[in-house]
Amino acid sequence: MVHKAQATAGCRDVTLPASGDVCAPVLALRQAQATAERRDVLDADLHEAESQLRLLPSVMAADPQADTAARLISWMSFGLITVTSNDIHLARIAGMTLVPQLAGLVLMLAATLCQSRGQSA
């Protein structure tokens, strides 16, 4: 009779169903060890990335274009119109939602005018 360790080559060559049952705990431990080693590599990479990130300057303004536009409008109106960057954000959203809808309305008007010209001729 062949010894179990010899039949599986130290649980590296699991070919028999009986050897799979014997080597299951060993294979589970090897998988856990590989997972732990990969986690250690990822932790080291993460620590290195965090240390490089600390060296970068912090971002002060969320949207410098909106801040600049708000200051420009206040400057051009000599301070009579006070606009915040939040107002610029809302104006952008309104433009992105209303302009496509207005285009659809103009298309409907053009189609109506074309139909009314066709009927009158």
Side-chain angles (χ1 to χ4, degrees):
M1 179 172 179
V2 180
H3 192 266
K4 290 180 183 179
Q6 293 172 343
T8 62
C11 289
R12 285 187 294 276
D13 184 22
V14 181
T15 55
L16 301 173
S19 61
D21 295 338
V22 172
C23 292
V26 174
L27 295 176
L29 289 173
R30 284 186 182 157
Q31 183 179 8
Q33 181 181 7
T35 301
E37 289 172 355
R38 179 68 182 142
R39 185 194 63 233
D40 291 343
V41 169
L42 290 174
D43 284 343
D45 290 346
L46 182 62
H47 180 68
E48 180 182 342
E50 286 174 346
S51 65
Q52 290 176 357
L53 186 62
R54 284 189 202 106
L55 299 176
L56 296 175
S58 61
V59 177
M60 300 306 281
D63 189 359
Q65 291 176 341
D67 293 337
T68 303
R71 287 186 308 169
L72 182 63
I73 291 171
S74 295
W75 176 76
M76 287 175 58
S77 67
F78 299 106
L80 296 175
I81 301 173
T82 306
V83 179
T84 64
S85 61
N86 192 34
D87 296 332
I88 302 296
H89 289 277
L90 292 175
R92 283 182 186 165
I93 291 170
M96 288 187 289
T97 56
L98 292 178
V99 169
Q101 291 177 3
L102 290 175
L105 290 174
V106 169
L107 183 61
M108 281 183 7
L109 178 64
T112 304
L113 290 174
C114 285
Q115 284 178 354
S116 65
R117 277 192 178 174
Q119 290 175 356
S120 65

